[in-house]
Amino acid sequence: MAHPAKTTTATLTALLLLLGPAPALADDEDPTAPPGSTTTSPPPEVDSNSPGLKLADGATLAPAKVLDIKSVVEDLGGEERREDTNTDVKFALQAEVLFPKDSAKLNPEANARIKAIAEEAKAQKATDVRVFGFTDNLGSYGHGKKLSRQRAEAVHDELAGHLGPEVTFSVRGYSEDYPIADNGSEEGRKKNRRVEVSFPRGTTGNSNSNSDINNTSTSTGTSNGNGDSVSYSAATSPTR
């Protein structure tokens, strides 16, 4: 007479022994989004008539709390963007104002922008600075990974010269990961091609200052955006 329960248990035990423990992720396979970054994933659909959204009988509301407020300042051309939260300051520079097309060599005019960011980091007494590079989704992922890393390193080298050895840097290239705009248009790809510099907010410093942004517009909320190249046809001239 067969014993189905015992057979199932033995089969599961054998599979677990064969598979072994799940492998740990390598350092360069970090699945978390960069600090302060968001994706363009659509929000989940919510049924407004769902009983789960209604307060159950006898339930009480949780105590009120203050949510973080994000202040966003962007120059009219969108070339530079600053975001301030209660805990962090982040600058995003479009790659085209820093580098020639498909290059990691800084333009002469890039140095002034980077120096201004370094001055703000000093004002905030930052000791930990993150420099992250990003590209659009044109070309190969591997090329984007290499280029975004090289661009982040170029900005890091310039920043380090202004900030000194007491500052610790985290430098990474993310290729097309973590887009902040739609890669389906050149306008969106331009925003995605960017280098971000962020650091914790200090106990002092002017949270309303901006590095080198003139003719600005300001908004508050949770939206963000930041951003390489002159106009081109995506079908014939993939650009990072």
Side-chain angles (χ1 to χ4, degrees), residues 13-222:
T13 303
L15 285 172
L16 289 173
L17 290 173
L18 287 172
L19 292 174
L25 288 172
D27 291 341
D28 59 354
E29 297 176 351
D30 184 2
T32 60
S37 295
T38 60
T39 67
T40 55
S41 300
E45 294 185 4
V46 177
D47 181 5
S48 59
N49 296 318
S50 172
L53 297 178
K54 300 176 181 178
L55 199 63
D57 293 340
T60 58
L61 293 174
K65 63 179 181 179
V66 178
L67 299 177
D68 286 346
I69 296 177
K70 180 183 292 184
S71 171
V72 179
V73 179
E74 183 178 275
D75 66 4
L76 293 180
E79 296 175 345
E80 182 173 338
R81 182 182 178 97
R82 170 176 174 154
E83 296 179 7
D84 287 271
T85 67
N86 295 347
T87 58
D88 292 282
V89 179
K90 180 170 70 176
F91 292 90
L93 298 172
Q94 288 183 2
E96 69 175 349
V97 305
L98 299 176
F99 308 97
K101 183 171 69 175
D102 205 33
S103 169
K105 183 178 180 180
L106 288 169
N107 292 323
E109 58 269 23
N111 297 330
R113 292 180 180 267
I114 296 172
K115 182 180 179 181
I117 294 175
E119 292 302 318
E120 179 63 17
K122 290 179 182 178
Q124 298 292 345
K125 302 187 184 303
T127 57
D128 296 288
V129 177
R130 300 176 291 266
V131 187
F132 298 150
F134 304 85
T135 64
D136 58 29
N137 66 345
L138 300 180
S140 71
Y141 182 86
H143 175 66
K145 188 85 169 179
K146 179 180 178 181
L147 180 61
S148 60
R149 171 74 187 208
Q150 289 175 335
R151 286 176 168 175
E153 288 176 343
V155 173
H156 156 263
D157 292 346
E158 186 67 20
L159 277 172
H162 296 294
L163 294 179
E166 67 275 8
V167 176
T168 300
F169 289 87
S170 176
V171 181
R172 290 189 179 185
Y174 285 98
S175 189
E176 64 195 60
D177 294 335
Y178 313 114
I180 57 172
D182 184 5
N183 273 312
S185 68
E186 171 55 18
E187 181 180 358
R189 291 190 294 270
K190 186 176 180 180
K191 290 181 178 291
N192 291 331
R193 299 189 293 265
R194 69 199 189 278
V195 175
E196 294 182 354
V197 179
S198 59
F199 41 85
R201 175 173 298 288
T203 55
T204 61
N206 182 4
S207 63
N208 294 321
S209 66
N210 51 68
S211 65
D212 190 27
I213 303 179
N214 298 313
N215 302 319
T216 59
S217 57
T218 307
S219 62
T220 59
T222 57

